[in-house]
Amino acid sequence: MNCGLDFGTSNSTLALCRERAVTLVPLEEDGITIPSAVFYSAVAPQPCFGKQAMQLFMEGEEGRFMRSLKRILGTSLMNDGTVVNGKLKKFEDVLGDFIGHMKAVAEQHSGVEMINVVMGRPVHFADNDSKTDSRAQDELQNIAQAVGFKHVAFQYEPIAAAFAHERNLPSEKLALVADIGGGTSDFTVIRLAQDVMDKADRTDDILGNSGIRIGGNDFDKDLSLRAFMPDFGYGTDYGEKNLPLPAVPFHDMSEWSKINFLYTPKMHKQMRDILPQSHAPEKFSRYIKLLEEEKGHQLLAAVEDCKIGLTDHLQVTASLDFVEEAFSVTVVRSVFNDAVDKHVRAIIADIDDCLRQAQIAEEAVELIILTGGTTEVPLLKETIAAKFPQAEISEENKLSSVGLGLGYEAIRRFG
């Protein structure tokens, strides 16, 4: 059977193609999306995935939790591997476990082997680095083949989202697709119409593509550094010379893909040696507790929940009682906006680059297709809407349109 697989930084989906119809597989209970997370329990023989992985880790079961795995593709970390419950494990095997799990669930659901797959990919895995970009796609292809897919093809994620929306359009539209997920922001200018949606070659309809390595994880990181980490000692001084505490450990504790690399005896000792010299020992001791009790992912989950809460509320209070009793952080939306403003400006600049490639003016865009969870951020959504006041905005199937579009692409590619 053919399928489309959207392996996302934060969430993933898989679409089945049967008799030229595309349906999304319930990958976890009744949910058509699954968090891109893996937990290797120290006491159970098989890994857990998605919400179950997150729940076991948050409940304190001993083991190794990993998230935002897509961001490792193409980087040197793929070669380094990581220690999982005392044993070295290659990242290609970690990603293979997750993608293989999605394949197995789809096969159990359909009763048919998944043979051909179109996988989504960002326009750029890495900014201004063609070698890393090619390496990342090759790694993802090798992983897909290793878990049993016989034929693997790729499509840009924003183009896939466009194909999903095209089927419901009453008339031809010149569209800008903004796919802003956990790891990247990707854009496509494309002509959409129902009478061309089954063409084998859509090259003439795709006018421009661009992308930048900024996504929801970067928003989480800067919200953490701006509003949370100061209460853990970030920005405070130590020693007789009033030196600032090393910034890198705080930055790494605010980034999903780097937290686990902090949990080493060397880092524990380095931070413990600084504590007696800290000018804010009460705050810095909280950071050390995060290290020694390996609660970094729990903190960043609270940051992410705060970000999501600020979508509908002007102020959110995040309880951090897992760090210490009655400890919380209150964040107002304006602080979040200030923290992520640089990312919003970079995203808008990349949209401008996509329009230049397409050789069209802003006023020519008739439809804006927003997909990916990060498009919910009020500052970003409002900025895009203000840039294209004449355009209709569609947010249909925001978390699943890429997967659906990849399914339609699988029909075109494999029949």
Side-chain angles (χ1 to χ4, degrees):
M1 181 178 284
N2 305 329
C3 67
L5 196 156
D6 176 22
F7 171 49
T9 303
S10 299
N11 297 283
S12 298
T13 59
L14 190 147
L16 295 179
C17 311
R18 181 179 291 175
E19 297 179 356
R20 302 192 68 78
V22 175
T23 57
L24 291 165
V25 175
L27 292 170
E28 194 167 33
E29 298 173 348
D30 294 328
I32 56 174
T33 64
I34 182 172
S36 303
V38 183
F39 180 70
Y40 294 95
S41 171
V43 296
Q46 299 299 323
C48 297
F49 306 93
K51 292 178 182 176
Q52 184 184 13
M54 296 169 71
Q55 181 179 351
L56 289 174
F57 176 75
M58 296 301 180
E59 290 175 349
E61 182 168 324
E62 185 180 354
R64 180 70 189 275
F65 177 77
M66 281 178 271
R67 190 177 170 187
S68 295
L69 297 166
K70 187 176 180 179
R71 281 205 149 186
I72 297 172
L73 287 166
T75 71
S76 61
L77 294 174
M78 285 293 289
N79 297 323
D80 297 340
T82 187
V83 176
V84 175
N85 299 327
K87 296 181 180 179
L88 184 66
K89 190 175 181 73
K90 295 179 179 179
F91 275 115
E92 62 192 61
D93 294 330
V94 176
L95 271 68
D97 286 343
F98 182 78
I99 292 172
H101 170 73
M102 293 178 66
K103 181 175 185 290
V105 171
E107 290 173 340
Q108 183 177 14
H109 173 79
S110 65
V112 181
E113 182 184 5
M114 299 294 109
I115 297 174
N116 305 319
V117 63
V118 175
M119 301 194 76
R121 56 151 293 170
V123 176
H124 301 297
F125 282 98
D127 295 337
N128 304 313
D129 189 341
S130 58
K131 289 184 179 180
T132 296
D133 199 64
S134 297
R135 184 165 61 246
Q137 178 171 308
D138 289 345
E139 289 167 350
L140 192 53
Q141 179 169 338
N142 291 339
I143 290 166
Q145 291 172 335
V147 302
F149 288 111
K150 292 182 172 57
H151 302 102
V152 182
F154 289 90
Q155 180 57 273
Y156 289 149
E157 289 156 356
I159 294 177
F163 291 159
H165 283 262
E166 185 172 48
R167 313 191 88 75
N168 299 318
L169 287 180
S171 60
E172 181 177 328
K173 296 286 185 181
L174 181 61
L176 169 71
V177 185
D179 177 17
I180 306 175
T184 59
S185 297
D186 297 288
F187 308 99
T188 289
V189 174
I190 183 171
R191 290 191 185 93
L192 298 178
Q194 287 195 10
D195 60 358
V196 297
M197 65 186 182
D198 292 325
K199 280 198 317 184
D201 185 357
R202 297 294 300 275
T203 303
D204 292 343
D205 298 318
I206 300 166
L207 306 183
N209 288 303
S210 67
I212 189 171
R213 190 179 166 86
I214 291 175
N217 287 3
D218 302 287
F219 285 58
D220 294 343
K221 178 178 179 177
D222 281 353
L223 177 58
S224 174
L225 292 171
R226 178 66 64 88
F228 287 77
M229 282 299 163
D231 284 320
F232 291 82
Y234 181 55
T236 63
D237 300 330
Y238 77 103
E240 295 180 358
K241 296 183 179 179
N242 296 321
L243 298 173
L245 286 174
V248 171
F250 293 97
H251 282 249
D252 287 354
M253 191 66 83
S254 300
E255 191 164 343
W256 287 106
S257 59
K258 293 184 178 179
I259 291 172
N260 280 312
F261 297 99
L262 292 168
Y263 300 148
T264 66
K266 180 180 178 180
M267 180 59 67
H268 290 180
K269 183 178 185 304
Q270 181 181 344
M271 297 295 101
R272 275 286 175 190
D273 287 347
I274 292 175
L275 181 60
Q277 307 173 62
S278 171
H279 296 176
E282 180 181 352
K283 292 181 177 181
F284 189 46
S285 63
R286 292 174 183 149
Y287 182 88
I288 292 176
K289 183 172 183 177
L290 290 179
L291 273 181
E292 295 182 344
E293 297 185 8
E294 298 190 359
K295 293 185 179 292
H297 284 102
Q298 199 165 345
L299 174 64
L300 202 48
V303 174
E304 183 181 39
D305 287 343
C306 178
K307 176 190 71 176
I308 294 169
L310 289 168
T311 299
D312 297 317
H313 303 281
L314 295 177
Q315 178 175 300
V316 171
T317 296
S319 173
L320 304 178
D321 54 6
F322 58 88
V323 178
E324 63 182 49
E325 188 177 355
F327 176 40
S328 64
V329 170
T330 297
V331 185
V332 296
R333 188 187 288 175
S334 60
V335 169
F336 175 50
N337 288 349
D338 288 344
V340 303
D341 179 68
K342 65 180 180 181
H343 297 315
V344 172
R345 285 187 281 110
I347 287 169
I348 295 301
D350 206 62
I351 289 176
D352 287 335
D353 181 54
C354 191
L355 296 177
R356 281 192 294 270
Q357 285 187 40
Q359 297 182 341
I360 64 166
E362 295 175 8
E363 296 77 13
V365 176
E366 300 170 288
L367 174 66
I368 304 291
I369 297 173
L370 297 180
T371 188
T374 306
T375 57
E376 289 287 343
V377 172
L379 178 63
L380 180 56
K381 184 188 291 189
E382 292 163 6
T383 303
I384 292 175
K387 186 176 179 64
F388 300 96
Q390 78 291 343
E392 175 189 351
I393 294 181
S394 173
E395 301 181 70
E396 183 181 359
N397 298 320
K398 182 170 287 190
L399 297 180
S400 58
S401 61
V402 172
L404 284 168
L406 292 170
Y408 291 119
E409 181 70 0
I411 292 173
R412 267 191 290 269
R413 298 280 185 105
F414 302 118

